Amino acid sequence: MIQLLPGASSTVAALSAERVRLDVITQNIANANTTRGLDGKVYRRQEVCFESALSAVEGGDDRSGGGPRVSLIRKDMSPGRMVFQPGHPHADGNGMVEMPNVSIHEEMADMIVASRSFEANLAVLKNSRQLASMTLAIGKK
Amino acid sequence: MNPLSAIRQYIAQVPAGLGQMGGAEAKIPTGELNGLSAPGLADVTEAAKPVEGSFSGVLGHFVNEVNAKQSMAVQTVQDLQSGQNVSLHQAMIAMEEASVSFQLMVEVRNRLLESYQELMRMQV
């Protein structure tokens, strides 16, 4: 039923997808020092992949490619840093502890990108609403 | 929904006004949505003929659609607040849709009123 605001369905999909990305980044940053996850191993950084969802034909339009869709949330299995900390409860035989492969700087940069993308979609939405209001004012005297 | 009940009262009054012109039925199947793109005298004269899909049919259709959008918006906001799987932007967009569709309905009503009044001003 999203037909009054032009292009609103793509924008909604993009906003939802960016929110998922922000959630994943938040989780990565929060677990940057988690040495034991639920599966008993060190926390592995997760990353999000988007794909363009070919939206179902809306009202007979032939426009292909709706908004993005989160296609998968993948664990980055690259090894983390090994830190020498013999007193750590999770240290192995050599006193080395494997820290998560989360790089705070990269996560912060990703967070900025995701936030700006979110804001851009919000600006698009505001613009569509303004255009709809101006269209409705065509007949006003 | 006071504005919507005002519109409903208008719908009830319009057939009475058109009755002098040999006009429209009060209850009309809402499947008809004739060309609202040019609400002018053409629409009014078409409504004057005893044909289905006149003023009250079109307006009734609109009122039902706007009501559906408003209740969907309210439902979305309630879902958001009760913790269902609804995100904030979906609730905001649903409310925007309802507001824009309501304004559209008001504009349609204004146009129809204008054309009706213009017709009534014609000298017999």
Side-chain angles (χ1 to χ4, degrees):
Chain A
M1 273 223 286
I2 309 186
Q3 288 160 4
L4 286 176
L5 300 177
S9 58
S10 309
T11 312
V12 168
L15 286 170
S16 303
E18 292 298 336
R19 255 206 62 184
V20 168
R21 191 154 99 169
L22 276 171
D23 284 342
V24 166
I25 292 173
T26 312
Q27 195 183 2
N28 282 344
I29 294 182
N31 285 317
N33 291 323
T34 303
T35 45
R36 275 289 176 273
L38 283 172
D39 53 356
K41 300 199 216 81
V42 69
Y43 177 79
R44 293 261 174 239
R45 168 179 172 263
Q46 289 177 327
E47 48 190 13
V48 182
C49 299
F50 290 168
E51 71 181 9
S52 165
L54 290 173
S55 62
V57 174
E58 293 176 352
D61 280 347
D62 266 333
R63 260 173 283 158
S64 63
R69 199 172 62 89
V70 177
S71 62
L72 61 96
I73 300 181
R74 197 176 61 116
K75 274 196 185 167
D76 183 10
M77 296 309 287
S78 58
R81 299 178 291 131
M82 304 294 284
V83 174
F84 181 67
Q85 232 180 322
H88 198 272
H90 299 154
D92 60 3
N94 298 331
M96 304 291 281
V97 182
E98 185 179 10
M99 301 299 279
N101 55 346
V102 172
S103 162
I104 296 277
H105 316 292
E106 281 186 22
E107 299 300 325
M108 292 296 287
D110 282 344
M111 186 175 77
I112 292 176
V113 168
S115 306
R116 292 290 171 257
S117 173
F118 195 86
E119 284 177 29
N121 282 305
L122 285 182
V124 164
L125 203 56
K126 233 182 227 186
N127 191 39
S128 328
R129 188 180 55 96
Q130 197 178 0
L131 287 177
S133 293
M134 294 202 299
T135 311
L136 282 174
I138 282 180
K140 275 208 169 66
K141 302 209 167 81
Chain B
M1 290 286 192
N2 278 335
L4 283 181
S5 56
I7 300 290
R8 285 188 209 275
Q9 286 173 8
Y10 168 71
I11 292 173
Q13 286 168 12
V14 162
L18 285 178
Q20 308 166 12
M21 295 191 272
E25 314 284 318
K27 291 272 181 281
I28 289 170
T30 57
E32 313 281 338
L33 192 59
N34 309 338
L36 268 187
S37 52
L41 286 178
D43 269 351
V44 178
T45 48
E46 180 183 355
K49 305 179 210 143
V51 158
E52 299 182 330
S54 67
F55 273 156
S56 39
V58 159
L59 269 182
H61 183 94
F62 252 118
V63 167
N64 288 337
E65 271 193 27
V66 171
N67 199 20
K69 281 207 168 138
Q70 297 253 3
S71 45
M72 189 180 85
V74 165
Q75 184 60 42
T76 312
V77 170
Q78 279 180 354
D79 282 347
L80 173 72
Q81 290 181 333
S82 65
Q84 309 286 339
N85 194 15
V86 168
S87 45
L88 182 59
H89 57 263
Q90 279 175 320
M92 290 305 295
I93 291 176
M95 289 198 297
E96 275 310 313
E97 285 278 320
S99 153
V100 168
S101 98
F102 184 74
Q103 283 176 358
L104 174 65
M105 186 184 70
V106 169
E107 285 299 316
V108 165
R109 172 213 163 245
N110 289 346
R111 296 294 147 259
L112 291 176
L113 254 186
E114 255 182 62
S115 35
Y116 169 71
Q117 282 170 353
E118 178 126 13
L119 189 66
M120 293 304 276
R121 274 201 297 265
M122 289 196 323
Q123 307 225 349
V124 177

